[in-house]
Amino acid sequence: MPRPIRVLVAKPGLDGHDRGAKVVAAALRDAGMEVIYTGLHQTPEMIATAAVQEDVDVVGLSILSGAHMTLFPRVRELLHVAGRDDILLTGGGIIPQSDMEALQRTGVGRLFGPGTSTGDLVRYIREWFAERQPQDA
Amino acid sequence: MTSAALLAEFRARRPAALARAISIVENRRPGFEAILAALYPSTGRARRIGVTGPPGAGKSTLTAQLTSAWRAAGHTVGIVAVDPTSPYTGGALLGDRIRMEAVALDDGVYIRSLATRGAGGGMSAAAADAADVLDAFGFDRVIIETVGVGQSELDVAQATDSCLLVLVPESGDAIQALKAGLMEVADLFVVNKADRPGADQIRRDIEFTLRLRAAPAAAVPRAPAPWTPPVLATAAVTGTGIADVLGALDAHYAYLFETGSLAERRRARLQARVVDIVDRRMRERMWEDAAATTWLAGQLDALAARETTPFAVADALLARPGGLGRRTP
Amino acid sequence: MTVPTSTDVDAAGEAVRGEELERLRAEVAVWRARYAAGELRDIAFVNSDGPVDPVFTALDASPDVATLGLPGTFPFTRGIHPTGYRGRLWTMRQFAGFGSAADTNARYKFLLERGQTGLSVAFDFPTLMGYDSDHPRAAGEVGKCGVAISSLADMERLFEGIPLGDVSTSMTINGPAIILFAFYVAAAERQGVPAARLRGTIQNDILKEYMAQHAWVFPVEPALRLVVDCFEWAAEHAPKWNTISISGYHIREAGSTAPQELAFTLANAFAYVEHGLARGLAVDTFAPQLSFFWDVHNDFFEEVAKMRAARRIWARHLRERYGARDPRSWMMRFHCQTAGVTLTAQQPLNNIARVAYQAMAAAFGGAQSLHTNSMDETLALPTETAVEVALRTQQILAYETGVANVADPLGGSYYVEALTDRLEAGAEAQFVEIARAGGVVRAIETGWFQRRIAEAAARHQWDLEQRRRITVGVNAFTTEDAGTTIPTLLVSESTAAEQTARLSALRSARDGARADAALGALTAAARSDRNIFPALLDAARAECTLFEIRSAMEVVFGTYREPIFF
């Protein structure tokens, strides 16, 4: 039996708007994933620590505060230091297209803007997981 | 990563290796038994504490408070937090970390959320294995936190040295369940959110039930000398009463140690563990041979026609030369 | 011949009305059969809460004059002013703030020059959470979603050249609201303007933060004490100031339905009133300074009815339950903002049309103040062009469409009256539920509200994905390239560095002993049962920073931790 995909859903920074993060967490759970929800106001260190301890496949960050150019790279870097470059770092929020592209060039996965269907997100994670699973221990 | 490389990283105390080892064990990935076997000699050092109770009782907050207190005393703490898997989707929402934020960044604390994944009660089948892995990693205290729904309290009690049942003033219904026998599994009762109305009442109810209890019909082997589970009041959010819980846990541990029941309890746990493994292996061996299933399918007509009985079919299956007999000593 | 008594007339009127209703009932039965036989489009006919009936008649609504009343009379269903908008138009108040105080000051002057009539400050997240710009937790967020204000000096710079005695200022701040209010009062002092002349609002609605928006600092009980400290201090020293803006907006934006927004917000309002009373304040000393803030969402009639029901519920409870005698205590005054959550990143120009309809609902609902969102707000903070279009949308509404000519133009509509009645009855039922859940504070602690809001949000998303609900440009009428086609604002990345430099200069230039003494006195005031505001004002005057002040209070109050989620 295939194991469930494990996803950490986090709200980094001081922005408390968690409607999107909660909707996404519920949708991923309903899609059969194990979702670790860390709550609000997480620092990049808290997120990376949780991702490592929970041995997740995916980290999803919801950022509406404009701090994405600081927070995504910082989490990516901390995951790298922990030896977890294999984790898919994805997310969404209010992120201009040009910033999305710049982040993707640094190894961040696809980022989703307002109006995204949760189905798209589920598909994206499943496809990514199916592709990498052979190397999964 | 090979098992050897993983074990080397594990022994170098890399958190990512610890996390991966738990995953392999949880997922029953190839090699998981070898990992558990390799770690076995390093287990048996941690004190294992179960924290269970109904949803919303404040178990995670209490766990975080106990953890902070142990950290202040210099002990490291590994936590396994178990939440239910949705029976409909197979997914789970694991949110216990939220209430453990205060200890989340401490290097001496490791928190792992597990979903029950089809295990009947609130306890993941893998939680006990995960506790072994944490024990082997060197944590001084290992906490297993689960939602108490029916069977799971028993599982937690069996997997731990001290089992703490957390209730809140609203848990009146839970008391009914306790009277039905679950009372036996708790070594400590905590009435959390004790600042709320009804707290005294529930304390009195528990104490009354405990007194009514004659000789414990032990679900878990108990010490000969009686241990009377204390009933403590806390307000985990503010930390009120946490020192009492710590004191009671230490008293219980001392009691277990001095009466020899700690060793007894742990031996019982090991015995149960072996029985579990045997059960699982027998099942696997029985059914890994497709011929067994095919043969059983061939018996269904006769069973339906009442020409034979399920017992006769089962005995015949067990007696098949290619079946279990093949590998039994 | 005898003169008919009024009872006879009433009885005769009743009989006629009874006959008419009988006839109507028969007609409705016929119509219903025809409706059932008709073909309907394949779409859900719903408002935020669920299915909507296809037609309304006198059978659904009883526009009874006794309950409906007239504009400016109890229970104010039709508005609080007898003159409607003929006396005073709503205040056009665009929520704005980004970068440094100087950047935002320039935007305010731009807006005032273009005819805006009130200011509304958007603070950045660090400020909203009580952190200085140079705090490690502020990294990446300084000046991003609002203006960074860490000290009295920043507040002064924010209003440089804007006379605080003449302008009305709204400040969206909650967790540390009382601190920012102290900065504002102190900044006005330095302009020579006494607190008694200040007009404006601090949002200060901490209960909805725990429920929905999550910009909190202190735990519930001390936070409520600070709110009541504001009520008490301002009642005496700043009587023209709105000490709170009890907000449905964030509850709705977090996903609630309109009936939930209405009921939860009013439940919060009553909790504040009760905390004021528990302090020993007479209701009429502080109730006139309480104001409200509603979201204006897409369903036009539901939104209008929501505002009408809200006024009526508030008036009745204040008079009948809390015994208020001053009519100003009965009158619900409120600000509106068009619903940010309805804006789309796809085909962003469509947002102009959405905002215009929503603004019209606010006018029909009798709002005292309105913010219209800019078309680009799902992409970034608004550009000058976008915010100007949003402001012009209000001006067109106010001066060209005629909506401001007549008070409560939908009063008497079967549909709107029926909806108003149902929303009111629904809210009353919710108040009972909330009481059963242990009251507002307890229900926050157990996640009662949070769960309901999250469920409604998930249901809404599901409806969208099933196309039961349509969002133009997102799940219908989509186009290939629907991405950003409008220019967006780039906030300067240098704000954090500038702020850090300014803060260290401030700390070295100020009288350190005075600052320390003020912070010590503040901690002592937090520990005492005295009103904390005078000590806060002293700390602001002594150039203590936001985080220093927060910390001096935190040692006594502690920090709020989210107790529960789904």
Side-chain angles (χ1 to χ4, degrees):
Chain A
M1 206 177 93
R3 68 173 178 88
I5 304 172
R6 284 172 69 89
V7 186
L8 184 85
V9 174
K11 278 288 302 173
L14 300 171
D15 160 25
H17 293 91
D18 61 356
R19 174 179 182 163
K22 284 185 173 178
V23 165
V24 163
L28 297 182
R29 173 200 57 196
D30 293 344
M33 301 183 197
E34 287 181 359
V35 180
I36 293 106
Y37 187 77
T38 60
L40 292 167
H41 306 144
Q42 301 288 296
T43 62
E45 288 75 12
M46 291 158 100
I47 291 165
T49 301
V52 169
Q53 292 186 352
E54 298 288 356
D55 196 24
V56 294
D57 306 295
V58 180
V59 171
L61 305 183
S62 165
I63 304 178
L64 287 80
S65 68
H68 47 269
M69 295 310 279
T70 307
L71 295 170
F72 274 105
R74 182 82 185 121
V75 171
R76 181 83 274 172
E77 183 198 331
L78 290 166
L79 289 175
H80 171 74
V81 170
R84 291 304 311 272
D85 281 324
D86 59 311
I87 290 176
L88 170 65
L89 179 59
T90 176
I94 298 184
I95 304 171
Q97 192 62 39
S98 55
D99 287 355
M100 285 188 184
E101 286 158 13
L103 287 169
Q104 276 159 7
R105 281 194 295 274
T106 68
V108 174
R110 226 176 106 189
L111 299 174
F112 296 85
T116 304
S117 130
T118 55
D120 288 349
L121 183 62
V122 168
R123 246 188 318 281
Y124 170 64
I125 291 177
R126 280 192 181 144
E127 281 167 14
W128 172 85
F129 187 70
E131 245 171 63
R132 84 175 263 277
Q133 214 192 359
Q135 36 166 318
D136 185 37
Chain B
M1 196 187 300
T2 63
S3 285
L6 180 66
L7 285 170
E9 293 259 293
F10 186 94
R11 298 211 162 97
R13 303 188 52 75
R14 298 268 295 168
L18 166 61
R20 181 52 51 91
I22 293 177
S23 298
I24 291 171
V25 166
E26 185 192 18
N27 295 319
R28 300 287 187 253
R29 279 281 177 270
F32 85 93
E33 291 181 329
I35 288 176
L36 286 175
L39 298 182
Y40 181 72
S42 316
T43 60
R45 289 187 279 229
R47 263 173 69 184
R48 300 190 189 189
I49 294 93
V51 177
T52 187
K59 296 179 294 298
S60 302
T61 310
L62 185 69
T63 297
Q65 292 276 12
L66 292 173
T67 302
S68 296
W70 277 322
R71 289 297 297 136
H75 304 299
T76 57
V77 185
I79 300 166
V80 183
V82 187
D83 272 327
T85 290
S86 157
Y88 304 107
T89 67
L93 222 123
L94 310 172
D96 290 329
R97 293 190 81 93
I98 294 179
R99 294 169 200 89
M100 302 186 190
E101 201 178 288
V103 293
L105 274 183
D106 183 334
D107 283 343
V109 177
Y110 177 95
I111 306 167
R112 181 59 175 260
S113 313
L114 296 181
T116 50
R117 293 194 185 172
M123 169 106 173
S124 152
D129 290 340
D132 276 348
V133 178
L134 290 170
D135 186 349
F137 196 76
F139 288 103
D140 301 318
R141 302 281 182 275
V142 172
I143 303 178
I144 301 179
E145 188 214 309
T146 72
V147 176
V149 277
Q151 176 65 23
S152 61
E153 287 95 339
L154 270 169
D155 293 343
V156 179
Q158 197 154 60
T160 54
D161 302 325
S162 302
C163 182
L164 201 153
L165 184 55
V166 189
L167 298 165
V168 280
E170 293 83 353
S171 307
D173 293 344
I175 296 289
Q176 293 307 317
L178 293 171
K179 284 176 182 164
L182 289 170
M183 208 72 164
E184 319 303 342
V185 304
D187 302 301
L188 244 83
F189 290 86
V190 173
V191 176
N192 193 23
K193 309 186 184 180
D195 47 341
R196 287 205 199 141
D200 286 342
Q201 183 60 43
I202 196 171
R203 275 184 76 172
R204 278 196 300 274
D205 283 356
I206 298 168
E207 280 163 359
F208 181 69
T209 311
L210 285 171
R211 273 203 303 276
L212 277 185
R213 197 170 58 157
V220 176
R222 291 288 151 178
W227 163 261
T228 309
V231 185
L232 306 167
T234 59
V237 171
T238 56
T240 310
I242 297 299
D244 296 344
V245 177
L246 286 166
L249 280 172
D250 285 344
H252 183 244
Y253 192 76
Y255 162 82
L256 288 175
F257 194 77
E258 284 157 15
T259 58
S261 42
L262 180 66
E264 194 185 322
R265 202 167 171 158
R266 289 185 171 183
R267 289 163 70 91
R269 191 192 302 156
L270 292 173
Q271 179 176 343
R273 192 68 212 286
V274 173
V275 169
D276 260 1
I277 296 169
V278 170
D279 282 355
R280 193 174 61 238
R281 293 214 168 152
M282 289 196 1
R283 205 164 36 240
E284 283 165 8
R285 283 192 197 161
M286 187 70 222
W287 303 114
E288 77 184 359
D289 179 5
T293 314
T294 312
W295 186 82
L296 170 58
Q299 297 302 305
L300 293 176
D301 284 344
L303 271 169
R306 301 295 185 274
E307 289 161 10
T308 182
T309 70
F311 303 96
V313 173
D315 285 340
L317 266 174
L318 288 166
R320 284 172 73 245
L324 282 175
R326 191 182 46 170
R327 285 184 223 172
T328 41
Chain C
M1 190 178 156
T2 53
V3 178
T5 65
S6 65
T7 320
D8 291 336
V9 174
D10 282 356
E14 278 294 305
V16 171
R17 185 165 160 77
E19 270 170 41
E20 281 172 354
L21 288 180
E22 262 327 296
R23 202 175 319 125
L24 181 57
R25 241 174 233 119
E27 284 173 30
V28 167
V30 172
W31 161 80
R32 198 174 296 286
R34 296 180 60 198
Y35 175 80
E39 268 200 32
L40 305 181
R41 285 179 294 123
D42 184 21
I43 190 176
F45 298 96
V46 291
N47 61 19
S48 77
D49 192 37
V52 177
D53 296 340
V55 76
F56 286 78
T57 68
L59 296 176
D60 300 291
S62 48
D64 188 337
V65 176
T67 55
L68 199 50
L70 281 161
T73 60
F74 189 88
F76 307 102
T77 314
R78 312 200 62 189
I80 57 169
H81 297 304
T83 51
Y85 287 132
R86 290 189 179 206
R88 184 195 282 174
L89 202 56
W90 66 84
T91 305
M92 298 182 192
R93 194 190 289 282
Q94 297 296 96
F95 184 48
F98 59 91
S100 67
D103 296 332
T104 301
N105 178 269
R107 175 62 69 89
Y108 290 165
K109 287 175 177 160
F110 170 89
L111 286 166
L112 291 170
E113 279 161 18
R114 275 156 188 77
Q116 172 165 285
T117 50
L119 294 175
S120 176
V121 186
F123 296 102
D124 67 1
F125 281 109
T127 308
L128 291 172
M129 294 293 292
Y131 291 104
D132 289 347
S133 298
D134 59 355
H135 191 282
R137 292 216 55 163
E141 301 192 66
V142 176
K144 280 283 164 58
C145 275
V147 58
I149 300 293
S150 306
S151 67
L152 169 59
D154 288 342
M155 190 66 97
E156 283 188 271
R157 221 160 53 123
L158 182 64
F159 293 105
E160 206 172 288
I162 300 172
L164 294 182
D166 301 335
V167 73
S168 119
T169 305
S170 169
M171 287 186 274
T172 297
I173 188 83
N174 296 280
I178 196 166
I179 308 175
L180 275 293
F181 184 42
F183 285 161
Y184 190 82
V185 172
E189 246 174 35
R190 290 202 176 168
Q191 284 191 5
V193 177
R197 274 183 56 206
L198 294 178
R199 285 182 305 117
T201 308
I202 35 169
Q203 196 163 77
N204 205 19
D205 174 9
I206 196 65
L207 291 173
K208 67 91 174 57
E209 293 298 326
Y210 302 126
M211 283 182 195
Q213 182 163 260
H214 310 323
W216 50 59
V217 178
F218 306 115
V220 184
E221 286 304 331
L224 284 169
R225 173 233 166 137
L226 294 176
V227 171
V228 178
D229 278 356
C230 282
F231 292 174
E232 189 182 45
W233 188 86
E236 193 184 340
H237 298 96
K240 293 181 186 166
W241 190 265
N242 296 313
T243 50
I244 192 166
S245 173
I246 306 159
S247 304
Y249 186 84
H250 318 85
I251 294 172
R252 187 71 180 281
E253 291 284 300
S256 85
T257 63
Q260 287 173 331
E261 178 193 0
L262 178 68
F264 296 177
T265 305
L266 279 158
N268 287 348
F270 300 142
Y272 291 122
V273 170
E274 284 162 21
H275 274 79
L277 297 174
R279 173 72 63 91
L281 304 179
V283 66
D284 285 325
T285 62
F286 69 93
Q289 284 170 278
L290 310 181
S291 66
F292 286 79
F293 175 17
W294 301 110
D295 203 1
V296 208
H297 217 277
N298 278 335
D299 193 293
F300 187 85
F301 296 101
E302 187 182 35
E303 292 305 300
V304 175
K306 177 184 78 185
M307 296 175 221
R308 300 173 86 245
R311 268 193 302 266
R312 190 153 82 201
I313 296 168
W314 177 248
R316 285 181 173 165
H317 279 256
L318 263 284
R319 191 168 82 171
E320 284 145 30
R321 181 165 153 207
Y322 298 113
R325 289 289 155 263
D326 183 343
R328 293 180 310 140
S329 301
W330 307 335
M331 291 180 203
M332 170 183 282
R333 295 164 301 115
F334 61 89
H335 173 68
C336 275
Q337 179 169 339
T338 59
V341 78
T342 65
L343 301 178
T344 64
Q346 296 78 4
Q347 305 176 17
L349 290 168
N350 297 350
N351 293 327
I352 300 173
R354 285 191 184 97
V355 166
Y357 292 128
Q358 293 164 358
M360 188 176 247
F364 277 34
Q368 274 62 57
S369 164
L370 177 62
H371 164 101
T372 36
N373 287 326
S374 299
M375 65 180 114
D376 53 355
E377 289 190 62
T378 61
L379 305 167
L381 294 188
T383 60
E384 282 191 351
T385 308
V387 76
E388 186 167 346
V389 170
L391 176 61
R392 298 295 183 231
T393 301
Q394 291 200 42
Q395 290 162 339
I396 291 165
L397 178 67
Y399 295 102
E400 297 184 13
T401 65
V403 300
N405 289 340
V406 176
D408 188 33
L410 290 177
S413 146
Y414 296 133
Y415 180 24
V416 171
E417 294 301 347
L419 258 179
T420 305
D421 292 348
R422 287 177 198 179
L423 281 162
E424 181 183 14
E428 293 292 349
Q430 286 282 295
F431 300 152
V432 174
E433 285 290 305
I434 293 164
R436 209 171 279 153
V440 167
V441 170
R442 182 82 183 84
I444 286 170
E445 287 167 358
T446 58
W448 191 93
F449 294 106
Q450 297 91 315
R451 257 195 312 279
R452 276 162 183 73
I453 294 168
E455 280 163 11
R459 207 161 41 238
H460 184 82
Q461 180 67 24
W462 178 249
D463 285 352
L464 281 176
E465 296 191 6
Q466 301 303 303
R467 295 190 75 241
R468 277 173 48 82
R469 292 177 188 275
I470 296 299
T471 304
V472 173
V474 176
N475 67 354
F477 312 107
T478 52
T479 45
E480 273 299 304
D481 179 25
T484 316
T485 53
I486 52 175
T488 53
L489 182 78
L490 289 177
V491 176
S492 159
E493 291 290 333
S494 60
T495 306
E498 287 165 26
Q499 276 290 99
T500 301
R502 283 169 50 81
L503 277 163
S504 59
L506 176 120
R507 290 196 189 97
S508 55
R510 74 183 174 192
D511 177 346
R514 184 184 169 201
D516 288 346
L519 291 173
L522 179 60
T523 300
R527 219 165 251 134
S528 77
D529 55 7
R530 293 194 310 273
N531 192 308
I532 204 167
F533 199 79
L536 273 168
L537 206 46
D538 282 342
R541 290 172 184 136
E543 313 271 5
C544 299
T545 68
L546 174 60
F547 187 71
E548 290 166 350
I549 293 175
R550 171 196 153 138
S551 305
M553 295 158 83
E554 207 171 350
V555 292
V556 180
F557 296 150
T559 314
Y560 183 71
R561 297 245 169 258
E562 190 180 24
I564 205 158
F565 69 122
F566 297 76

